Amino acid sequence: MTDYLSANKLKKSFYRKELLDVARNLLGKILVKVDGKNILSGKIVEVEAYHGDFDEAAHSYRGITKRTEIMFEAGGYIYVYFTYGAHHCCNVVTGKKGQGTAVLIRAVEPLSGIDTMIKNRFERKLRNKKEIFNLTSGPGKTCQAFEINKKHSGIDLTENKIFILDGEKIKSKDIGVSKRIGISRSVDLPWRFFIKNNPYLSHK
DNA sequence: CCACGGATTGGCT
DNA sequence: GCCAATCCGTGGA
């Protein structure tokens, strides 16, 4: 299993490219967290890009702080932050050292470890079939399902704890683009990307 | 030290 | 569709 995973794991070179290209290319890739003998995984179906230089909504916009310093590393690490007193959100650091660019993982489609995700999210069984679509259809939900929190911020995505596997190539015509959700500055940048019609999207 | 507001979610109208 | 919950990072005094 580990060999199979390693063979398909995205390398540092994948992440160290231009922000918006990495954001679009992450759609269809497989987010994996090794949780003991459990493998939690899901296909990335929705992302948003953030840029430290001119994007006022980015946490990196005001420069390096203790919280955001990992965003300024070269691509290939995860940046996890805590917000609204309740939720964690997981980002993939991209680009070159000093840029402060990252891609927020907003939603995934669960693939394996689904029983564990259900337990992490609801601490009970599903009440009905439709609830499966409430497992990972948002950035906070995805982190809760995968049990990803601030302790994981800074993890190297080429190691074996949390990483991303190559997946299907999503065609341009199947990628939707919109403004980003839930921000109050730089609101007009069309930097949210998603797989059209996927049932796990955070917004329709 | 203190005040502000947030890359969200879920419950209620 | 609207709004409260609930911590903490950040910035200004």
Side-chain angles (χ1 to χ4, degrees):
Chain A
M1 186 56 154
T2 307
D3 287 343
Y4 169 77
L5 295 176
S6 298
N8 297 286
K9 191 189 295 170
L10 298 179
K11 299 177 176 16
K12 289 273 167 65
S13 58
F14 173 91
Y15 302 104
R16 296 182 176 177
K17 298 195 168 76
E18 200 276 322
L19 171 65
L20 300 185
D21 287 334
V22 180
R24 281 183 289 256
N25 288 338
L26 277 168
L27 294 174
K29 302 293 190 286
I30 314 299
L31 175 68
V32 180
K33 182 187 177 209
V34 177
D35 185 35
K37 61 187 178 196
N38 230 330
I39 307 283
L40 303 181
S41 69
K43 179 171 85 171
I44 298 170
V45 300
E46 178 182 339
V47 299
E48 282 176 0
Y50 289 87
H51 197 305
D53 284 347
F54 54 90
D55 169 12
E56 294 184 76
H59 291 168
S60 49
Y61 178 68
R62 295 172 192 284
I64 297 177
T65 66
K66 179 79 176 171
R67 178 178 66 148
T68 63
E69 59 184 348
I70 193 65
M71 278 186 82
F72 290 89
E73 281 304 311
Y77 299 89
I78 69 170
Y79 162 55
V80 183
Y81 66 88
F82 180 68
T83 191
Y84 291 105
H87 310 290
H88 294 275
C89 296
C90 179
N91 298 253
V92 173
V93 177
T94 71
K96 297 174 183 165
K97 188 174 174 71
Q99 286 185 318
T101 54
V103 176
L104 172 67
I105 296 179
R106 288 195 55 90
V108 307
E109 175 176 330
L111 294 177
S112 71
I114 295 176
D115 288 345
T116 301
M117 292 186 198
I118 292 170
K119 184 166 139 295
N120 289 343
R121 280 274 292 135
F122 306 124
E123 296 183 330
R124 57 168 171 75
K125 307 215 173 199
L126 292 188
R127 292 207 177 97
N128 55 62
K129 298 274 187 190
K130 279 195 319 189
E131 248 185 354
I132 191 80
F133 300 113
N134 192 31
L135 257 193
T136 54
S137 53
K141 296 175 187 179
T142 298
C143 277
Q144 189 181 14
F146 279 69
E147 223 168 26
I148 292 173
N149 56 57
K150 279 191 299 185
K151 292 201 308 284
H152 300 103
S153 198
I155 281 181
D156 185 329
L157 284 165
T158 59
E159 292 179 358
N160 285 322
K161 301 171 199 154
I162 296 174
F163 50 90
I164 301 176
L165 299 178
D166 202 2
E168 61 184 300
K169 173 73 178 170
I170 308 298
K171 298 182 181 122
S172 299
K173 70 173 178 60
D174 295 322
I175 297 179
V177 183
S178 77
K179 295 177 183 179
R180 297 173 296 178
I181 293 167
I183 54 172
S184 60
R185 295 175 298 177
S186 296
V187 294
D188 290 328
L189 292 173
W191 283 5
R192 171 173 174 257
F193 305 98
F194 55 94
I195 299 177
K196 288 178 184 172
N197 300 316
N198 186 281
Y200 291 89
L201 297 180
S202 67
H203 288 59
K204 295 288 157 38

